[in-house]
Amino acid sequence: GARKNGRHAAGGGSAGGAGGGDKANDKAENHGELLDSDGRVKYSTLKEVVGQVATLARDQHGCRFLQRKFDEGGAPAVALVFPEILEWVVELMVDPFGNYLVQKLLECCTEEQRVRILQAVAEPSTSSRSSIEGTKASKEIPAPNLSDDDNAASKAGKRASLDAARLPRVIAVALDTHGTRAVQKLVETLRSPEQIRLAIAALSPGVVMLIKDLNGNHVVQRCLQRLSSDDSQFIYDAAGAHCLDIATHRHGCCVLQRCVDHATGPQRERLVDAIAANALSLAQDPFGNYVVQYVLELNLTAPSAKVMHRLRGECAALSLQKFSSNVIEKCLTLGGPQLDGEREMIVREVMESPLLGRLLQDAYGNYVMQSSLSVAKGALHAELVEKIRPHLVAIKSSPYGKRILARSHLFQQKSRASSGSANTNNNPASAVSIPNQPDSGPALSPSSL
């Protein structure tokens, strides 16, 4: 992103942006006091670097030195430098090297120290601090290292939201490429009810922003993995209230599926209800369709029935679209006999639609028709065949329509009976195979997006 300035490179690097040269010189002088000509730490004990720990932590070798001293010295070593790290914990969390020191600290600190870290990152994001490089100028909490898939307006909007809402500083950290790792470690190491309460209070105000962010969504997923279902309620509440917004987002659709996975009882029911209520819009969306398919793949009668009911009356039109056609296919092919009535309604809707001719020859609709022929039984299947028969001439010359012929032997048998000929070479279905649907939004896990 534009805010990357290279100032964290091993050996000191150069700083970019306004005043970058002065900051680089200041940092070079600081490192000159701490590192030898090979870039390695001059000193052997923590006492020798007290007062300069924050600067040392932002260097590759310095960070490793401090972590090694934590391993060697244990709790006393941590206690010696903890006040200085705590003072700069947010800045270190978003640093390419400093974040590793914070992660190490979270693994070996005391419960009381972890509470103090939580309290520090929960402060409002508009707080100002003096620069870590030693300058006297004030420094705002780092803006999130926004992902490349965010356009300029989105980036500006996120920064403005962080400032206007005075969100806790941990939100900006979680949105950062390096900071997200430190926040995930913070979630992993939560132990006491007090720590969990502080973390929830800090993350809750920005949870929707985190869900939809390239880096932040991993923090939310770590919460789902580590916290109890009750403690994760703030995530389920946000997902339900902002279902459409989240489900139609590149990263949000993945998080919403994980919410369905981890939710229990009434929590899952409320989430599924929200998804079903928006099923018509979601089915047509490049990302939302995966969420609807995921609900159908649960093979639970009530949720699937709710989705099918919401799509009723639009099935034919949806079958002609790239993304929603996959949803209609899932409605037809998934679920037990309890959903036979719902499936029959879909089959009747498409076969009685004025769009039937287009469906039979459409790149996406033909697959819905193939599925309809596969699931329809008895009288319903016979009725569907008769509805298709008037379109035989047209579909025989269509590359997609030929697959419909290959789906039913009834067409071939009746065609032979009416012509009195046993010559199968004229039947285009005789040499047609049924390939997998090409480029039609296959129902893959959107985690690969």
Side-chain angles (χ1 to χ4, degrees):
R3 67 182 296 273
K4 293 181 180 178
N5 55 29
R7 68 185 182 192
H8 303 301
S14 62
D22 292 338
K23 290 183 179 181
N25 292 335
D26 290 341
K27 189 171 183 182
E29 291 176 4
N30 290 337
H31 279 192
E33 299 173 1
L34 297 169
L35 307 176
D36 60 23
S37 59
D38 295 326
R40 300 188 180 279
V41 180
K42 290 180 178 180
Y43 306 107
S44 58
T45 67
L46 279 181
K47 288 183 178 180
E48 295 174 286
V49 297
V50 169
Q52 302 181 81
V53 171
T55 299
L56 190 62
R58 290 157 63 96
D59 175 82
Q60 182 178 11
H61 298 292
C63 180
R64 290 175 178 172
F65 168 82
L66 293 170
Q67 292 183 67
R68 186 168 61 253
K69 291 304 176 183
F70 284 179
D71 286 331
E72 295 172 356
V78 172
L80 182 64
V81 297
F82 180 78
E84 189 175 352
I85 296 176
L86 182 65
E87 182 181 1
W88 298 105
V89 66
V90 170
E91 289 79 5
L92 293 177
M93 279 178 150
V94 298
D95 185 82
F97 302 121
N99 82 89
Y100 291 108
L101 180 64
V102 175
Q103 291 185 60
K104 182 68 174 181
L105 175 65
L106 289 167
E107 291 177 350
C108 57
C109 69
T110 65
E111 300 304 307
E112 181 182 354
Q113 288 169 337
R114 189 176 295 109
V115 168
R116 294 181 65 187
I117 292 173
L118 283 161
Q119 291 170 337
V121 300
E123 293 177 2
S125 61
T126 53
S127 298
S128 295
R129 309 272 302 275
S130 59
S131 171
I132 193 170
E133 281 85 358
T135 65
K136 300 299 182 181
S138 64
K139 176 182 178 182
E140 290 189 0
I141 300 309
N145 193 357
L146 298 170
S147 57
D148 293 337
D149 63 348
D150 288 321
N151 57 35
S154 176
K155 292 177 181 179
K158 285 183 179 179
R159 292 191 180 100
S161 297
L162 283 169
D163 184 65
R166 292 181 59 84
L167 293 174
R169 297 195 291 173
V170 70
I171 302 299
V173 176
L175 296 173
D176 183 84
T177 301
H178 308 293
T180 183
R181 300 171 182 171
V183 179
Q184 288 177 62
K185 178 63 71 172
L186 180 59
V187 172
E188 290 175 9
T189 56
L190 295 175
R191 297 290 183 268
S192 68
E194 181 185 10
Q195 293 173 11
I196 294 173
R197 177 185 58 79
L198 287 169
I200 293 173
L203 293 171
S204 294
V207 66
V208 175
M209 186 184 299
L210 295 178
I211 287 173
K212 295 167 58 181
D213 184 76
L214 172 65
N215 302 309
N217 84 88
H218 296 292
V219 172
V220 178
Q221 293 194 54
R222 193 55 52 91
C223 289
L224 292 171
Q225 294 166 1
R226 295 287 181 161
L227 301 181
S228 69
S229 58
D230 288 340
D231 290 332
S232 295
Q233 186 63 50
F234 75 102
I235 300 175
Y236 302 134
D237 289 342
H242 302 273
C243 176
L244 185 61
D245 186 30
I246 291 172
T248 54
H249 189 272
R250 183 180 191 88
H251 306 301
C253 69
C254 300
V255 177
L256 190 53
Q257 291 178 60
R258 300 293 79 77
C259 286
V260 173
D261 284 341
H262 292 279
T264 59
Q267 293 172 331
R268 174 182 284 191
E269 185 176 348
R270 284 192 291 269
L271 283 175
V272 169
D273 284 346
I275 294 169
N278 291 282
L280 182 57
S281 297
L282 295 179
Q284 302 172 72
D285 184 79
F287 305 113
N289 81 91
Y290 291 110
V291 177
V292 180
Q293 291 186 59
Y294 195 76
V295 170
L296 294 170
E297 289 168 356
L298 295 174
N299 282 319
L300 299 174
T301 301
S304 296
K306 290 176 182 177
V307 170
M308 294 181 187
H309 180 78
R310 185 68 184 86
L311 302 180
R312 190 176 300 172
E314 303 291 341
C315 292
L318 293 174
S319 298
L320 294 170
Q321 299 180 39
K322 178 177 181 179
F323 304 112
S324 53
S325 63
N326 284 304
V327 174
I328 300 300
E329 281 190 78
K330 285 285 173 69
C331 289
L332 288 169
T333 57
L334 293 180
Q338 301 91 337
L339 293 171
D340 284 347
E342 297 290 340
R343 281 191 286 268
E344 180 177 345
M345 292 176 63
I346 294 176
V347 173
R348 289 196 176 279
E349 185 175 328
V350 296
M351 77 181 187
E352 293 173 1
S353 170
L355 298 174
L356 178 61
R358 284 182 58 189
L359 287 168
L360 293 168
Q361 302 177 65
D362 184 74
Y364 308 119
N366 83 91
Y367 288 97
V368 174
M369 296 311 302
Q370 290 180 52
S371 295
S372 297
L373 285 165
S374 296
V375 302
K377 306 298 180 184
L380 180 63
H381 184 274
E383 188 175 349
L384 176 58
V385 168
E386 291 306 315
K387 290 286 187 179
I388 296 174
R389 193 173 304 284
H391 302 277
L392 284 179
V393 174
I395 65 178
K396 282 180 180 179
S397 61
S398 167
Y400 303 114
K402 291 177 181 179
R403 297 169 186 167
I404 305 298
L405 297 176
R407 270 296 185 191
S408 178
H409 296 297
L410 292 180
F411 293 127
Q412 182 177 351
Q413 293 169 356
K414 291 209 173 186
S415 177
R416 289 179 183 176
S418 61
S419 65
S421 171
N423 182 7
T424 60
N425 293 330
N426 294 326
N427 184 353
S430 61
V432 176
S433 62
I434 307 171
N436 292 328
Q437 185 170 353
D439 190 30
S440 58
L444 301 176
S445 170
S447 59
S448 62
L449 294 173

